[in-house]
Amino acid sequence: MHSVPQSYDAVEPLDLEEFLMSQLQSGDSALMQELGDFPDDDLEVELVEKECRTVRHSVPEEGVELDSHVRDCVQSYTQPWLMVSRRCQGDSWSAYSERASLHKTLQKQTFESDVQPEKLETPVKSPSLAVLSDDSSRTLTSSDFDLRSGLTPDPRVEGLLHFSNHDDLDRFNQEARQGNRHPELFALYPPADEDDAVEIRPIPDCPKEHMGDRIIIRCQAIKFEIDIEPLFATLALYDLREKKKISENFYCDLNSDQFKGFLKPHTPQTDHSTLSRAAIFSITYPSPDIYLVIKIEKVLQQGEISDCAEPYMVMKETDSAKNKEKLEKLRNQSEMFCQRLGRYRMPFAWATVNIMNVISTATLDRDTTDSDSLNGVSLEKRGQLPRRNSERFGTMEDQCNMSAFKPATITISTFCKQEGDRLSDEDLFKFLADIKKFSSLQRRIKTIPGTIRLDVTPVHDNPVACLSTELIPVKPLAEKNVRPVKEVLEFPSSEVYVPHSTYRNLLYIYPQRLNFVNRLTSGGRNITIKIQFMSGEDPSCVMPVIFGKSNGPEFVQEVYTPVTYHNKSPDFYEEVKMVLPARLTERHHLLFTFYHISCQQKQNQTGASETLIGYSWLPILSTDRLQTGQYCLPIALDRLPVNYSLHSPERITPQVPPVKWMESHKGVFNLEIQAVSSVHTQDNHLERFFTLCHALEGGVTFPLRVREEKIPENKLEHELKLSIISLSSSRLEPLVLYLHLVLDKLFTLIMQPMVIAGQTANLAQIAFESVVSIVNSLHNSQELARDQQGRNGLLATYLYWVFRLPDSNELLNTGPGGVVPSTEGRYSTMGRASATTVGTMLLQSRLRSSSNPDIPAPHSAEDTEVKNILSAKVLLHIQGSRMSTYVDVSSHPQSSTGGTRPSNRKQFHEELALQIVVSTGVCRENAYKYAWFFFELLVKSMAQHVSLEKQDVPRRSRFSDRFKDDVTTIVSVVTAEIGTILVKQQKELEQAEKVNISLAFFLYDLLSLMDRGFVFILVKNYCNQMSTKTVSMPTLISMRLEFLRILCSHEHYLNLSLYFSSPASAPVSPCPSISSQSSSSCSFQEQRILGLFELSQEFKQQHYLAGLLLTELSAALDMESEGGKVQKKAINATYSLLCAHDLDQRCTRPDVRAKVATLYLPLVGIIIDSINYLDFTVSEARGGKSKTGGSDEDPDNIPPINQSIAMAIAGNPFNTLARNALASMASVAVPLADCKESVVGGVLRVLLHCLTCNQSTTFLSHCFSTLRALVVKFGDLLFEEEAEQCADLCQKVLQHCSSPVDGNRSQACATLYLIMRYSFSSANNFSRVKMQVTMSLASLVGKSSDFHEEYLRRSLRTILAYAEEDTEMQNTPLPSQVDELLRNLNSILSDTVKMREFQEDPEMLMDLMYRIAKGYQTSPDLRLTWLQNMAEKHKNRKCFTESAMCLVHAAALVAEYLSMLEDHKYLPVGSVTFQNISPNVLEESAVSDDILSPDEDGVCSGQYFTTSGLVGLLKQAAELFSNGGLYETVNEVYKIIMPVLEAHRDFRELVSTHEKLQRAFDNIIQKGHKRMFGTYFRVGFYGAKFGDLDEQEFVYKEPGITHLPEISHRLENFYSQCFGDALEMIKDSKDIDRSKLDANKAYIQITYVEPFFDDYEMKDRLTNFEKNFNLRRFMYTTPFTKAGRPRGELNEQYKRKTILTTMHTFPYIKTRINVIQKEEFDLTPIEVAIEDMQKKTRELAVATHREQPDAKMLQMLLQGSVGATVNQGPLEVAQVFLNEIPADPKLFRHHNKLRLCFKEFIMRCGEAVEKNKHLITLDQKEYQQELKKNYNRLRENLRPMLERKIPELYKPIKPRLGNRDSVKRLSFRRALEENS
């Protein structure tokens, strides 16, 4: 499939431990002594006390002996976490990963692109000034703005000229660069892609008690209209959707002291905890249907609920006068009832509010949401881990954010009266459903007026004085006696998968209903139930475990349910909450006593108001299991049977005398019991497993009873195995709740061999398989979250915080200074028997290994020793004494022979590794699939092992060889698994990646624990094993890269790579070849240095991890085809490593950094080798380049470089080291160091590139200082050799001179001044620089739109200041020359300012640019620049022809100067040659005397003043002419180019030229008559407001088909901005009479004009093109009548023709040209008619004789000619002018001409009608006949007029004979007759 290159295989690593020992002993450098090995206290196993929310842990009551399961639970909830941490782990890596805020420490950089210059709002001024007079003479230096007077210079750069020698200058610059520099350069680079950052292993959340979103509800007021008796409120949350009560009850009352007094006799005491009026509710699954229900009860009194509620509904406290006595009476009455029946309650009213509506409304009101609440807007899956506060977000449909709403106040203003027969929860849910459906209360519900006011706020931190649900105070405590806030226990609406972490043991009893249907006696009507929790049958055994309600005792012994008046089978809604004793016996039971309460005292009755009805009870345990669920109990009348509590009432044994039952022993009392307990599992599988496990610990009697079955001792092993196997089939929720305990027990079973019935039972394998299946089912559950590495959150948490070596708690608790936590001490008071047995088991487990049967069983001597030890009374003692024996062993290192002493004790990590290795089948598959779990388990147990016993043992001896073999096997198998997935199951790629990552982390962890050389061998095996797989190279590299990336992120990576021993120091290595190699190469210094840059075998061996990573990088960079992704990955890996070193506190010292840098020298070689493959997309380029820099000793001052330059310079810094060698190595074109000049040029190119990019001010200031240093040191070279680059340089620097950022500007000024100064002093290159600066400014001004001239002015002033202050130069011409130059620049700027004003008026702008260009007639370079600027502007406006003309003029200018310089036949003879293109070009002829000679320095030095420049300009022009559709001109342009190409024998160019010409001619043929040329308008400006423009007339050239309204609109828009309402557009084309115009207005007159040619011209202008090119004369006509109206009847319609002549011919280099001459002549009405008829005739002829006639066009013309009803049509014209022969003989000729016109016209009409006949379609037949008819009629009508000739015109020439007169007369008469 693919062959892996030889160099890609991993080499044999050094034996690291050996090497370190020898090197550190020899200690050749202090650095190595200090930094060589890992620190001693690198690994820490620590106990961390659990953070407890409450003041103390919740634990069972004092003084009870607990059974072992409860004891384990409590211990698990209270013991400290055991964490393994590595001291340095934070140093390198996490510093890098947590550097999000690093950039905030940086200086804020300013970028020019972000700075908005302060816009000086200048209104568009009226275009006045002397801008527009075309011939205004101006000299270069005249300036509208004096630099010196108006401006103060910017602050100068200090010390610009102070440096006498270059070294000082360089040193100064370097110090400046180093100042304020961030030390961690790499770390500032944005972190690589998150997907790549595999080395970040998230720390799992600390296990804590689950809480949903918490809100606090405070009762502010509960008020009714009248206040006559005490009332009691109960609050709880209900989820309507799930039909479930989701919180326990919260009781509070707001009764006044007076009313509390009523109840005094019934309240023995009032505990502080019952005064609470605020409750914290928790909601795990927010849903829009959560309701807060408030139930109100009152003291029992006589009468139905309705009767008792009546006064509340009809009376008001405010009508006091009326009701005073009534109310008083009611109060007295209620006081009486309170005294008598104060302990009984009755239902009264209820109210509800949708709490989620309140919260979501409050959320919407928030102005800004807290940042923390929105951090994790991940909608978490149901049943997530305890969600961290910041990532709290419910899965609500309406997305209300539970932790980020504003505090809200709820006011409820109506209560619903309770209905005696509808009290149950089902009824309540019906009511709620109605409320939701109809959004109001139904009619049938009776309401009571009143208000409840509640405050709702989110809980962020615990409020002060808070009590947990067990009433333990929560931190923080209150200072003084504040009313407490109670936490209300949540009953989540669906499962919550969070393991228990606190001891909780609560029971809730819900009596539901009584069914006394058949009971006839009238006794049982007002029924109440007394509920008690008993520990025996004697009445004194009642336990005070029931939680009290408000304003009473905290715990009570009994509770009475509220009474429904006169209801024989009442419903109950009571909830009784009690705390369960930790130790339950079969005697514990619930006792229910039923009473009838007589509300009214009978006359003769003085005693109690209760009448007994009967009893019922419920044993709390049934076969040792807590009873929960629904029950229906029978009721015993009269008395309780003897020993009743041992049986449930349904199953009680028959007695004497027999028990009397109500309704013959039927179940009549329904109730439900729920437990919320973290000790009772309420799951059969778990319960069975725990019970059997505890049986192993002894202290039980056989046969053992589990539920209904009895298990004899010999069956125990079998049953235990079954229970272990069935563990994973228990329900997910209980399994998760008890996960920590289950795993602890299983690990103990793996570890401890069990002696059951005298036999050793080995449960290790089954226990291991069970662990695997639990791991599998947790990973597969949809409900549980995983992190990005695929680890199940619950398991990760268990491993990180909870897991400890089985039985290691004894070891740890009494370690040095380790005091046994007091809680554990309390539970250790076990009975002697069980303690002894446990002790035996533990000791034996130490002496016998189940998985190593060779070790013999303990023999007699040891047995006696065991017995001696066991005589101790207390387990604690045993722990202590046993402990001492251990300490003993590990503290005598001499007893460890080579570290692998046969240990009698089994080690957990060894057992676990063994189980992984020997596992088979599905178990094996899953063990490797979720290898991460077992890896982390191994690592944590190894860490504990090392810290307990092997802390001082050398690494080699810490672990047994057998264990090392197992680890090798495991790594190898996992690697194979990865390979298999990659080869066979492509879609499981993600799984392979995850296993790969977990394997890497395993080896990463082992590096801190085991022999590092051994781990390196594992790494080598992995790499080579992966390479043998037939996997595609990119996948392979990608896998190995992620693997290595994790290993390299090890906090001691540098030590592991032996960075402190460079290969140059020839290590004392176990591999002879290496040392011999290095010694032989030492003689060649060059060779040796070159070797540093190679990725040699020796390097790979010694710097093992670094070598592997660089090998991977090199392989990735060589991937040509699909390498992009892998390249990026490899670069990111290397890169992030460099960043990590950069941020590592341990690497701050320069000597350490130098060592680290040598570790990366081979990078240089790698990059040079692969420079051709590098995929230079932006990100890679950045990554790759920064490393080129970083690999040098000082990874700091490398400016960003563009790729091509990077490639050119790649070898440069190192060429000094080994130029020839590296040059031969690198495939880089030329070694640049050979010639200084090209290097200077190269450097200049780089700097120029930097100036072009968008850089920050700080960077630019350094860039400019470097530039200045370059100018100072190599000025001569630069100005002589790099002329073109200098021109670029001037332009870039000038650009920065106009920067709005002060810093940039002052740096640029200093640089520009230095350029002038040094160009002046070095070989007098100043004139050229002057030229370059002037041209740069010109092109900058012309092209750039965002150009700030006011800043540039300031810069010019600053440069002037430099010149004035430069003392050395005062006696030279420099200051005056600078002065002159700056004045020139200033005048250019002034023009620019004006250009600004006309930005919106293109013609004006072009005029101005034209004028500027004209001003430079004497300075060819500048004129050329401006012509190019104009060309650019035209091109942007799509005026291609004008743009081309500008370039033709530029070319003519160049030609003029070339012909002065060189006399070649093939060159154009100056501008004359260009006449054929346009006569205007003659302007460029350099004839005047003041023209500079081109030989003078600096003149005509631009790139265009060459033959190739000329050709280039002309080719551009041809391209533009072609775009503009003037193909004929293209030919003329090429006529000039061709001789040059022919002379140069440039046949390739000739080919393309001829192709272009062919294309041009093709275009002429195809588009000939379809081309649209320009449209022309005469525009006149009138009015003093126009300044110079007043009375000026122009011809404007607009694009083809421009309508008059368009140009009119455009000009009107622009000028109305200048003049506002003062502007007026003149709509006609009449002559303007100045006297009639308003002096305060501006007038514009626009007229359409057509090109005008004399007849003789028309002979030459045959084509459409010729009639539209080189135009100078234009004509427009103005109709008028003698009467003064423009239009009149035919016979009075005159016409005036106006012919305008322009200054230049169109097209020109601008689109408007001044009119210089105007001629006018008038046409008489008949002449007008003649012109019209000629035009019509012409049109008909053209339409008829076209090659492809256009029927529509023809019909349109015919319609206008022969149509019946044409107004002012031909017929009418004939009737007006031809009807009579004119009286005035002067008109004879016109008359005749018109007649002849008509003749031709009628003939053409005939032709057209005929032609039409052939064009029409069938359906136009009739139309054709109609046309024909009309034509015939017209002909007939015209005939008499056309045949009549004027005799005078046809007189024969007068003969000498007189008799001819008669003839004349005759003919004349005849003519007259004909006429009549």
Side-chain angles (χ1 to χ4, degrees), residues 1732-1748:
D1732 284 352
M1733 288 315 295
Q1734 281 175 331
K1735 188 174 169 208
K1736 267 207 171 64
T1737 311
R1738 241 193 339 269
E1739 285 173 350
L1740 272 172
V1742 171
T1744 313
H1745 293 294
R1746 278 177 73 166
E1747 283 178 35
Q1748 294 159 328

Side-chain angles (χ1 to χ4, degrees), residues 198 276 558 625 692 783 1202 1394 1443 1456 1600 1605 1676 1837 1869:
V198 284
S276 168
E558 57 199 35
R625 184 167 181 202
L692 294 170
E783 307 289 319
N1202 92 343
K1394 291 169 195 158
S1443 183
E1456 282 286 331
Y1676 64 93
N1837 286 342
R1869 194 182 302 117

Side-chain angles (χ1 to χ4, degrees), residues 91-92 95-96 99 102 184 187 1138-1145:
D91 285 358
S92 65
Y96 175 54
R99 64 209 174 118
L102 190 61
E184 292 93 25
L1138 287 169
C1139 293
H1141 302 328
D1142 208 356
L1143 283 169
D1144 192 337
Q1145 292 305 308

Side-chain angles (χ1 to χ4, degrees), residues 1677 1687 1690 1693 1695 1697 1723-1740 1761 1768-1770 1773 1777 1794 1797-1798 1801:
T1677 52
R1687 303 252 170 221
L1690 283 172
Q1693 181 68 66
K1695 202 190 252 177
K1697 282 191 171 185
L1723 298 183
T1724 57
I1726 191 164
E1727 286 176 309
V1728 174
I1730 290 170
E1731 235 182 29
D1732 284 352
M1733 288 315 295
Q1734 281 175 331
K1735 188 174 169 208
K1736 267 207 171 64
T1737 311
R1738 241 193 339 269
E1739 285 173 350
L1740 272 172
S1761 306
Q1768 284 206 349
V1773 176
F1777 292 110
L1794 184 59
C1797 281
F1798 264 106
F1801 170 71

